[in-house]
C-alpha cells in the first residue's frame, strides 16, 4: 500500500459564530500545484473549486480567504431542493459539448442533492451523453407522469398532502 502523501505543516482553528472551524494547509506541490502555494482543508474537507478541481492559494489569496471566512458570520443554508436520486429532469447543459451552451436537455439524476462549500446545492446528472454536477437551480424535475413509478407515487403523495 502506497503511503499517504498528505502533510499539514500549518493549521489553525477559527471561531465563526461561536463554532470551531478547523483550517489545514498542505503544500500544493504534493498535488501538482505551483511552488509556494497551499491546498486548504476546512473541517477535514478539501476546499476545491465548484468543478471539483483542486484550488491552490498563494499567501495573498489565503489571507483573503481567511478574512472572508471570519467576516462571513452565521450563514443559513438554503433549504434542500425537492430532487431525488433516479429522477427524470430537464437540466441546462454546461459548455464543452456538441450541443449549445445553455440549452435545456432531458436527463436523469444519479445522486441526492449535495450542499457544497460554496453554499449551493448540486446534484449529479446524466444528460446528452455526459455526467456532471449541476447546480440544483439549473435542474427542473419533469412532471410526475414522466417519472419512474416509485418517484411518481412520492410526487403524487406530496401533491395530495
Amino acid at each position: 500500500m502506497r503511503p499517504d502523501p498528505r502533510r499539514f505543516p500549518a493549521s489553525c482553528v477559527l471561531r465563526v459564530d461561536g463554532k470551531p472551524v478547523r483550517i489545514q494547509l498542505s503544500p500544493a506541490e504534493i498535488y501538482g500545484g505551483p511552488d509556494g502555494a497551499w491546498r486548504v482543508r476546512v473541517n477535514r474537507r478539501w476546499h476545491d473549486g465548484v468543478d471539483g478541481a483542486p484550488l491552490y492559494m498563494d499567501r495573498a489569496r489565503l489571507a483573503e480567504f481567511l478574512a472572508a471566512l471570519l467576516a462571513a458570520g452565521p450563514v443559513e443554508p438554503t433549504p434542500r431542493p425537492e430532487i431525488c436520486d433516479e429522477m427524470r429532469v430537464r437540466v441546462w447543459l454546461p459548455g464543452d459539448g456538441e450541443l449549445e451552451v445553455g440549452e435545456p436537455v432531458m436527463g436523469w439524476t444519479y445522486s441526492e442533492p449535495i450542499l457544497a462549500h460554496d453554499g449551493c446545492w448540486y446534484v449529479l446528472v446524466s444528460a446528452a451523453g455526459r455526467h456532471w454536477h449541476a447546480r440544483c437551480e439549473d435542474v427542473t424535475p419533469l412532471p410526475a407522469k414522466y417519472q419512474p413509478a416509485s418517484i411518481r407515487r412520492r410526487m403524487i403523495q406530496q401533491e395530495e398532502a
Side-chain angles (χ1 to χ4, degrees), residues 87-105:
M87 182 177 261
R88 293 273 297 145
V89 295
R90 180 175 56 228
V91 60
W92 292 95
L93 192 67
D96 301 321
E98 295 176 7
L99 302 172
E100 292 293 322
V101 175
E103 182 177 343
V105 293

Side-chain angles (χ1 to χ4, degrees), residues 116-135:
H117 70 277
D118 62 357
C120 297
W121 288 93
Y122 291 85
V123 65
L124 180 61
V125 295
S126 175
R130 297 171 50 194
H131 297 283
W132 73 96
H133 281 92
R135 291 179 85 149

Side-chain angles (χ1 to χ4, degrees), residues 88 142-149 151-153 155-156 159:
R88 293 273 297 145
L142 294 179
K145 68 181 183 178
Y146 299 110
Q147 299 295 342
I151 296 172
R152 182 178 21 217
R153 282 191 295 272
M155 290 175 80
I156 292 170
E159 289 174 4

Side-chain angles (χ1 to χ4, degrees), residues 10-79:
S11 66
C12 66
V13 177
L14 305 174
R15 289 226 176 254
V16 178
D17 193 34
K19 296 179 183 167
V21 177
R22 183 177 181 185
I23 309 295
Q24 296 173 299
L25 305 178
S26 185
E29 304 88 54
I30 296 174
Y31 308 97
D35 289 342
W38 300 94
R39 188 159 183 212
V40 179
R41 282 196 346 168
V42 178
N43 289 337
R44 298 181 54 96
R45 294 187 65 175
W46 290 112
H47 181 72
D48 291 335
V50 175
D51 60 355
L55 285 180
Y56 304 112
M57 299 186 194
D58 60 8
R59 285 182 150 197
R61 188 161 177 207
L62 182 59
E64 289 174 13
F65 171 74
L66 293 173
L69 189 64
L70 286 170
V75 176
E76 292 295 321
T78 57

